[in-house]
Structures are given as C-alpha cells and as structure tokens.
Amino acid sequence: MIEARGLTKRYGDRTAVDGISFTVQPGRVTGFLGPNGAGKSTTMRMLLGLDRPTAGTVTVNGRSYADFPAPLRQVGALLEARALHPGRSARDHLRWMAASNGLPVRRVDEVLDMVGLTDVAGQRVGRFSLGMGQRLGIAVALLGDPPVVVLDEPVNGLDPEGIRWVRTLTRQLATEGRTVFLSSHLMSEMALTADHLVVIGRGRILADCSMSQFIADHAASYVRVASPQRGEVADLLRAQGLDVAVHGEELHVQGLDAAAVGELVGRNGLLLHELTLVRSSLEDAFMTLTAASVEYSAREQTPAGALR
Amino acid sequence: MTDTVTLDPHRNVPGVRRPGFAQTLRAEWIKFWSVRSTVWSIVALVVLGAGLTVLVCATSADDLADGSAGEAAGSFITWGMTIAQITAIVLGSLVVTSEYGTGMIRATLTATPHHGRVLAAKALVLTGTLFVVGTVTAVLGYLGGNWFLEREGIGLALGDEGVLRSLLGSGLYMAGIGLFAAAVGLLVRHTAAALAIVLALILVIGNMVVLLPGAWGEWATKLMPGNAGGVVATPVSFNPDLLDPWVGFGVFCAEVAAVLLVGYVVFRRRDA
Ligand SMILES: Nc1ncnc2c1ncn2[C@@H]1O[C@H](COP(=O)(O)OP(=O)(O)OP(=O)(O)O)[C@@H](O)[C@H]1O
Ligand SMILES: [Mg+2]
C-alpha cells in the first residue's frame, strides 16, 4: 500500500505537486494519469526518496522509503528518465543492483530471462533501443520480487507485443496481491490495465476512483440512432425530455438506454435503421476532466493559418 | 476491497536479510570495474606514472651524476606521478559525475537510500584502488628509473632517506587527490566542470600563488592541496620551501576531508 498525505513539492516558486493525498491499494492496478507536467514523475520520485517533499509525507506499507533495509525487496521502480550508465552492460547493471540489496546473482539471470534480454545481457546498454531500455528498467523493478511496483510510463517505446506483455505482467502482479502503481499517457492501454485511477492536473488530485466510475462520471455514453424519419424521432425524444443532438444523419441521445429508446420509437410507429449504445472511452473522460488543467497544449493551427 | 496482503519479501528470492555496508561496498566495486573509463584511467596512470619516471631518469641520469642538473636524483625517481595524478583526478571525478551525467545516481539511491553509506563505499573503492595502483606504479617507476641511475653510480636504495616513504606516499597522494576530485564532483555534479576546477587548482593556481606578495605567497604555496600533499610522494622536493612530507600530507588530508564534508552535506540535501 502506498499512502500520500498532503504531499507537496515546490521547485523555486513553481509548485509541481500541490498537497495531494491518495492511497494506492494492494491487489489491483492503480493508474496514475495527468497531462504533461502534472506532477506524476515528481510524485513517484518523492515516493522513492529521491526528491525531498516540501511538505507532507508519502509512505510505502507505512514506512518511508529510506527506512527499508533492503528497499529493492519492498519497492520495484521504473523511473521516467533512464537511470543507467550507457557504458555498462545490462547484466552488470543488474549485478550491482542485486549486490547492493544482498540478492543472489541467479536472480539477475531470472529477471533477464523474464524480460527477454538474456541474449543481449552482455551488451552495453548505450546501444539498446528505447524498448530494450524499458525492458531492462522493468527487469530492475522486478529484481527484488517486490510487493509494491511503481512504473513511470512503462510502455513508452515498447512494441505492441511488449505493451501487451506489460499489461499481462502488471495484471498478474496485482492478482498476486501486490500493489501496482503505474503512469501512462496511452489511454486505451490504461483502460485495459487499470482497475483504479488517480488523476492529477497542475499538481492537484482531480479524481481518485474506480475506472468505471471515472468514465461514468466524466464522459456520458449515448445512444446513436439512425432513422429515415429523423426529424420525427428527434421531436418524439425531445418531447420526453431527452437530450438529443443531431450529427449529420445520426442522432445522439442521452438519458435513456438503447432498449428504452427502441421501444419508445417502436411504440410510436417510427422506423429505425440503427440503434447503438456508444460507450465513452477513458480518453473522452480524461480529456473532459483535464481540459482545464492542461499546461502544455499544442495550439490548433492550420498550415494556412501559420502562413498568414 | 482487497485486504492488505503482506508478502514476505524473502519468499521467492532468498538472500541477505539486512544488507549493510558490505553490500553497498560490493555494489560500488562492481560498478567501478564494469565501465571502461576505470580501466583506461588506471592503464593511463600506470603508463604515465612509471613510464615518465623511467624516461626522465634515463635522459637526465648523466646530468644528475655530474651535477650539471643542479637537482637531486631523489627529485626524479617518482617524477612521473606528478603527471599521473591527472588520471587519478579524472577517475575520481568520474566516479561521482558520471552518475549525475547519466541519471545513474537515481538507481544508486533507490538501491541504497543512505547517502553517507553510498559515499563511504564509493570513497573506499576509489581510494583503495588508487592507493594500490599508485604505489605499484611508483615502485615500477623506481625500479625502471633506478636502473638508469645506477648505471651512472647514483642509484637510490630502498633504505635511502625518503625513498620507501615516497613510494607509499605516491599511493597515498593518488588516493587523496582522487578523493578530492570526487568531492568536487559532488559539489558541481558535472564532469567537465569538476575536472576544470581540480586541474586548475592543482596544476595552475598551485604554481601561481607564489606571485602573491611576501608571506602570503609563501604560505599559499605551502598550503595549496597539490603542493602540500605532493611532497610525501617524492624523496626530495624540487621546491625546498614546501611543508615537511607528513605535515604537508596532514594538511592535504584535512583539506580533502573539508571538501568531502561539504560535498556530503550537499549530496544529502539536494534532490537526486
Ligand atoms: N528538478 C526539477 N526542477 C524544476 N522543476 C521541475 C523539476 N522536476 C519537475 N519539475 C516541474 O514540475 C512539474 C511536474 O513535472 P513532472 O515531471 O512531475 O510531470 P509529469 O506529470 O511526470 O509529466 P509527463 O507526463 O510529461 O511526464 C513540471 O512543471 C516540471 O517542469
Ligand atoms: Mg513524467
């Protein structure tokens, strides 16, 4: 379990993390979401004792990170920036880490095998591709077989097979009863991986709830209706007090499920060509919630606009 | 929700239950020897230290023998170490600054979140290695250089005054100057900056403070780290006005300790 209480980090006059409190429970995957610069990596660095909180605390199973005699056995972490010397081989990197926490050398070969780097273990990591580097980072996180795993953008740079592997791995770690806390910007992937979400924007908690709750709260699903009698159907539904939006040939209806919409239209003798419940995605919900707290957004600009 | 599951962290991976300084030391030892820069620095130290000593002894043995050099043979028998110290400085600085340059320091501190223990282990690996390599290099230089001196009849025996002391002193000075560079590395966290500062201090400023007026110049010269610490590494100093070998080395150690202490405080306080 990870617990943050009033956790704050200021760099000069810039507040990166602004008094956040949350709990990451064991036995499930908790996704950590937020736009660029929201403070996710800073929070994780404080959790690992790398950055000193300006105020507040963050503990792992009730203790600060620095209080663990063998921290790699308690918390496995993949950091955002590569924390590797490019001139050292993958095996040597894992070897010194294992030695530092009194882990047996055979564990090095086990994790190399687990992440599929056995064949390149003797190569200098400076030659590794982005994805190989990520795999090594995950091997580091798994080295001490820790009950708490913290991964900052683990799928960044991985190929589809690697992404699926991380998903399976994190789900499995959670099933084994471990605490899994991971950040990612890949919403579709997060939707498949996480059970619970902690969302931050500009250093503050925007949401801390289950995945389904989050989507239900922040992006409404709707029923897509296509009908040759579009106008009549729209009038009928509006008369029932439903929210109907016209999108080209389709109607988007909110406030009633697909079956109820179908029955209503049928009872009134109107024709339907399509009736589909469209569930909103995590991405929609995320965009809605964080729209106000995006710090670094690209200006929407057409090439023509740019020339003017 | 799921109850809190307590997993025994030793259930699948047995090993040391409470890792301590020995484990940190072992980790730093593996780190130290698994990058090429270590091997290259050490090769350079031996080649420069022993090679240049042999070279200057070979070329100046006759001048030393007939007195036309105006110097003592004892000033030449470890002369290569004054150049070899550059590689000790490079190695010492890299031990710290390469971790900051690559982000490795974050891995180091997540594995061992005790700044003091990490620093002590690093210092021990660095100084231990430099002491052994420095001493061996000085002995090699002595054996090679003395062969040329003996041909001219001015050979130095190990028992002669200051000879044995200078061989061990070479190792001590290499260890000290490497640690000094590492400490400066902790302060500036940047390889080029650390090297520039230490090399300028030892090789340039140390020789220029003599230009300060009167007693100021005299004492500044005596106390500059390279001057104070270097005397112990040579049987006879070129500059007779420097401190006595062990007094100088004591001053040098105090200077290194002071910079290291400041480095440690900064290391603890700053975010990694
Ligand atoms: N060492 C530092 N010094 C100064 N400012 C920093 C430092 N580290 C982070 N920041 C600032 O703190 C804020 C939060 O950064 P952080 O890296 O935690 O965001 P993030 O949520 O991980 O973003 P991303 O999704 O882009 O990885 C940013 O505005 C960043 O500029
Ligand atoms: Mg980040």
Side-chain angles (χ1 to χ4, degrees):
Chain A
M1 187 160 69
I2 300 167
E3 282 178 290
R5 293 291 166 258
L7 192 62
T8 303
K9 181 70 193 184
R10 275 190 283 277
Y11 295 106
D13 55 2
R14 177 172 194 110
T15 305
V17 175
D18 195 359
I20 63 173
S21 300
F22 61 87
T23 304
V24 182
Q25 298 283 355
R28 66 188 188 191
V29 175
T30 300
F32 197 22
L33 302 184
N36 288 136
K40 303 180 295 295
S41 301
T42 304
T43 302
M44 289 177 164
R45 281 200 306 276
M46 287 192 280
L47 160 65
L48 298 169
L50 293 172
D51 281 21
R52 204 179 269 250
T54 310
T57 57
V58 55
T59 57
V60 181
N61 292 330
R63 296 166 87 172
S64 330
Y65 189 86
D67 293 340
F68 290 117
L72 298 184
R73 287 185 183 278
Q74 301 287 346
V75 186
L78 168 73
L79 292 163
E80 178 179 43
R82 276 200 201 182
L84 301 165
H85 190 297
R88 197 174 274 122
S89 75
R91 174 172 285 112
D92 284 338
H93 184 69
L94 290 165
R95 249 176 11 104
W96 79 256
M97 289 204 96
S100 71
N101 275 235
L103 301 164
V105 193
R106 78 167 160 77
R107 184 63 188 163
V108 168
D109 295 309
E110 275 173 28
V111 292
L112 279 168
D113 191 46
M114 238 184 258
V115 302
L117 288 180
T118 305
D119 291 343
V120 292
Q123 272 186 30
R124 301 198 289 149
V125 301
R127 299 224 191 93
F128 277 18
S129 69
L130 185 56
M132 286 155 81
Q134 287 295 88
R135 281 167 191 268
L136 178 56
I138 292 171
V140 167
L142 298 176
L143 193 61
D145 193 32
V148 177
V149 179
V150 176
L151 307 172
D152 199 357
E153 305 194 25
V155 298
N156 185 16
L158 287 184
D159 55 19
E161 189 269 328
I163 292 178
R164 179 181 289 194
W165 167 69
V166 170
R167 185 199 312 154
T168 318
L169 176 79
T170 46
R171 301 256 11 124
Q172 189 200 327
L173 292 170
T175 312
E176 290 167 4
R178 300 183 212 235
T179 306
V180 183
F181 191 41
L182 84 161
S183 78
S184 174
H185 289 298
L186 283 186
M187 292 300 145
S188 54
E189 190 48 38
M190 193 58 105
L192 294 173
T193 312
D195 309 292
H196 196 89
L197 293 178
V198 173
V199 185
I200 65 170
R202 291 180 186 268
R204 290 166 183 271
I205 300 274
L206 301 178
D208 180 354
C209 58
S210 72
M211 175 72 70
S212 49
Q213 182 74 49
F214 181 74
I215 296 175
D217 283 358
H218 297 288
S221 43
Y222 59 90
V223 178
R224 189 166 65 215
V225 178
S227 163
Q229 296 153 298
R230 186 157 39 92
E232 286 100 317
V233 172
D235 290 342
L236 169 72
L237 295 171
R238 285 201 179 106
Q240 300 290 317
L242 299 175
D243 184 358
V244 180
V246 184
H247 289 266
E249 298 291 299
E250 302 170 345
L251 302 175
H252 291 183
V253 184
Q254 282 184 347
L256 218 53
D257 64 20
V261 171
E263 277 170 28
L264 186 64
V265 174
R267 255 190 276 120
N268 286 277
L270 296 170
L271 294 174
L272 280 181
H273 283 181
E274 191 194 338
L275 183 65
T276 318
L277 174 66
V278 180
R279 285 180 199 286
S280 54
S281 63
L282 173 61
E283 183 172 297
D284 298 330
F286 178 78
M287 298 297 244
T288 314
L289 181 65
T290 58
S293 59
V294 170
E295 281 183 77
Y296 309 101
S297 83
R299 297 260 177 296
E300 282 195 25
Q301 199 172 42
T302 59
L307 285 174
R308 243 185 307 132
Chain B
M1 200 57 253
T2 337
D3 289 317
T4 304
V5 185
T6 11
L7 297 173
D8 175 10
H10 290 264
R11 71 201 178 287
N12 295 327
V13 184
V16 181
R17 286 221 158 233
R18 282 195 77 87
F21 186 67
Q23 278 67 38
T24 309
L25 192 62
R26 173 102 190 99
E28 288 299 330
W29 181 258
I30 297 173
K31 264 197 225 170
F32 186 73
W33 288 106
S34 56
V35 287
R36 292 182 185 185
S37 54
T38 300
V39 180
W40 283 118
S41 303
I42 285 173
V43 169
L45 199 161
V46 177
V47 169
L48 288 174
L52 291 176
T53 297
V54 176
L55 198 66
V56 292
C57 287
T59 51
S60 44
D62 47 355
D63 290 345
L64 287 168
D66 63 23
S68 62
E71 299 283 354
S75 296
F76 286 73
I77 199 68
T78 56
W79 187 82
M81 302 314 280
T82 56
I83 304 300
Q85 67 175 326
I86 295 169
T87 65
I89 290 168
V90 170
L91 185 60
S93 150
L94 279 179
V95 160
V96 170
T97 56
S98 76
E99 293 223 5
Y100 282 99
T102 59
M104 256 287 285
I105 190 69
R106 299 212 177 95
T108 300
L109 289 174
T110 47
T112 311
H114 306 285
H115 296 72
R117 206 200 281 173
V118 168
L119 187 54
K122 270 193 190 304
L124 199 57
V125 168
L126 177 71
T127 53
T129 304
L130 282 175
F131 172 70
V132 172
V133 173
T135 305
V136 169
T137 303
V139 168
L140 290 177
Y142 164 77
L143 294 175
N146 207 35
W147 186 81
F148 290 100
L149 298 181
E150 267 172 358
R151 282 206 318 186
E152 300 290 335
I154 51 166
L156 296 160
L158 268 183
D160 285 358
E161 198 195 332
V163 173
L164 200 56
R165 190 255 301 141
S166 74
L167 299 181
L168 286 172
S170 292
L172 288 174
Y173 178 66
M174 290 299 124
I177 200 72
L179 190 58
F180 184 71
V184 172
L186 276 178
L187 294 175
V188 299
R189 302 182 160 200
H190 191 282
T191 307
L195 287 179
I197 290 171
V198 179
L199 291 176
L201 209 57
I202 304 295
L203 300 178
V204 184
I205 303 174
N207 293 321
M208 280 176 59
V209 284
V210 70
L211 300 176
L212 289 173
W216 283 99
E218 196 181 310
W219 276 99
T221 305
K222 284 187 205 286
L223 296 177
M224 283 300 288
N227 301 344
V231 186
V232 80
T234 176
V236 182
S237 179
F238 281 116
N239 182 347
D241 297 331
L242 294 180
L243 296 171
D244 286 346
W246 291 113
V247 174
F249 190 69
V251 168
F252 173 64
C253 285
E255 288 166 344
V256 173
V259 180
L260 193 62
L261 186 69
V262 177
Y264 167 68
V265 170
V266 168
F267 182 37
R268 271 192 56 157
R269 290 176 54 113
R270 274 198 243 168
D271 292 332

